[in-house]
Amino acid sequence: MSITDIGMLFSFIGGLGLFLYGMNVMADGLQKSAGNKMKQLLGFLTNNRFLAVLVGTAITGIIQSSSATTVMVVGFVNAGIMNLTQAVGVIMGANIGTTVTAWIVSMSEWGAFFKPEFLAPLVVGIGSFIILFSKSDKKKIIGEIAVGFGILFIGLSMMSDSITPYKDAPIFSQAFAVLGSNPILALLAGAVVTGIIQSSSASVGILQTLAMNGIVNWKSAIFITLGQNIGTCVTALLSSAGAQKMAKRAAVIHLLFNTMGAIIFGIIMFIIFSFVPDFASSSINSVEISIFHTIFNVTNTIILFPFANQLVKLSGVIIKNSEVKEETAEKEEAITLRHLDERILESPSFAVENAILEVAHMGDIAVANTKLAFEAARENDINKVQTVFENEKTIDNLQKLITEYLVKINNLSLTEKQHMIINNLFYMANDIERVGDHAENIAELAEFKCKNNIVFSNSAQDEIMQIMDIGLKSIQNAILSIKEENIEYVRKVVKYEDMVDNMEEELREKHIERLSNNLCTPESGIVFLDIISNLERISDHAYNIAGYVKDEME
């Protein structure tokens, strides 16, 4: 191999690297620009499979990777956010969405104006100026998308230029002649290459780059493309290795869907090529690859869409459910992350939205435990006291897990608004954990009441029920404000917090008066005052949480 050949190899590798990097930069920019749209897309994930297909198409179009979308689907299923019926639709849509990448790559053949060497430097220049000189975050995101788009084309151009001198080399014609004459081998080649680099976008881009130089025939290109659709399943399968059974089934559904489609189209195209051999051996260009890629994925979805339930059942046959494991999972659900999974980090916008859901989930547990602690204190119920202690361990564990996850999200490519949300979630998780601590304190006071047979007077019992009711409403509305992002809940929290503060002072004075008049014992007085003090602190933390939500809404 000569120095020139080595230089061309380096140029091809560099071009591929720039192509992938440009795709990544552009996808990051698109995700940032999508912002709250990601949350809306997540909201569409209902049992309506047609909507799920549209969501899968939209998500993949935004993040420019069907592999990333299906990995997220595995994460969503593993986290319990999505069921398998929804997953089928999103997976089908992801296959359609990935055709966007092929069309972007083929733009260089739409006309002279779209050729990479003509368009890319201008796009990178404009994008760079926007990033450097614009003060608007939205404009900077547009600049990122433009720079990524331009770098992608520069990489594509480098790959094409490095291959051009060798387009008449016998090795290419012989290789594609062999692949064209052996469809199984072509399928395997496409699957293996895609599986190794774990990017169907990259493998399709390489094939289209070769096609631009006129060295790929129709027969080999079609079967390689079908193989690439199978190879893209490798990423999701690897991702599901340590996941629950349902997540593994989602990855298997992806493999079944793409494999069945490849078999159906493989047979159809084999018959067509057998009857029209001249067509099979003729050269294919990148636009024609994009057209076939789109027709294949859309048609495959139309064919298999009615059989989604059967795909779910078939995945259950391949990955058998373990009843014991499912029971264990249900018992452990309270101490594990419900909405978060590392696979969801593939999309920062989704990761942020699901972090919000998880903090709200932690809040729900804290609210339920606070209510239980109140009941234990009023009813002198030692069993409820023990349950509060157990639940508090769950809350502490969730705070640790959520904090670790938030650190990972904070290191992703986020907008300033998303960084602010993540910082606020850190504080919210801490406030919720402190609410849990105060609930535990109240449970300890209830335990003291039980062991020492302390009973409040009727007036003290009525007073503590009133302040408990308002204190509980304050934290309930604070958690609702996280879920709904509704300013009305924030206003209610502010109102209840003021009421608790005023009542705490008033009840403290009344109870000291009762103590002075020997209407209650010193022990009951200490317990009473400590309970209302903890209640006041709970409402303070609720006020803090509502304040963070208000900041995000401004």
Side-chain angles (χ1 to χ4, degrees), residues 377-393:
R378 291 198 305 263
E379 301 164 10
N380 282 14
D381 191 329
I382 196 68
N383 291 326
K384 288 183 178 179
V385 167
Q386 294 304 317
T387 305
V388 170
F389 292 157
E390 291 171 10
N391 291 343
E392 172 57 17
K393 293 177 184 176

Side-chain angles (χ1 to χ4, degrees), residues 226-362:
L226 295 176
Q228 287 168 338
N229 278 273
I230 297 172
T232 195
C233 303
V234 171
T235 310
L237 289 169
L238 290 173
S239 174
S240 70
Q244 296 177 6
K245 296 284 185 182
M246 287 297 177
K248 289 179 179 176
R249 285 178 63 183
V252 167
I253 288 170
H254 185 215
L255 178 63
L256 289 171
F257 176 71
N258 284 17
T259 303
M260 287 178 180
I263 291 171
I264 293 168
F265 265 79
I267 293 171
I268 292 170
M269 295 309 296
F270 182 79
I271 294 170
I272 292 172
F273 290 143
S274 297
F275 282 100
V276 193
D278 291 340
F279 170 56
S281 59
S282 62
S283 296
I284 188 172
N285 60 40
S286 64
V287 175
E288 289 166 341
I289 289 176
S290 298
I291 292 170
F292 172 76
H293 198 219
T294 303
I295 291 172
F296 163 68
N297 284 296
V298 172
T299 308
N300 191 31
T301 299
I302 292 170
I303 292 171
L304 295 179
F305 184 82
F307 303 100
N309 290 332
Q310 284 72 22
L311 285 173
V312 172
K313 289 178 182 177
L314 185 56
S315 71
V317 173
I318 297 170
I319 305 291
K320 297 186 183 297
N321 286 318
S322 170
E323 292 180 9
V324 175
K325 234 178 180 179
E326 284 180 358
E327 287 174 8
T328 305
E330 286 176 10
K331 290 177 183 176
E332 293 179 350
E333 183 180 17
I335 60 170
T336 56
L337 296 174
R338 176 175 291 180
H339 300 98
L340 303 184
D341 188 289
E342 293 220 359
R343 299 163 188 85
I344 300 171
L345 294 173
E346 291 283 345
S347 173
S349 295
F350 271 120
V352 171
E353 297 302 336
N354 284 292
I356 295 170
L357 292 175
E358 191 58 50
V359 170
H361 167 55
M362 178 185 173

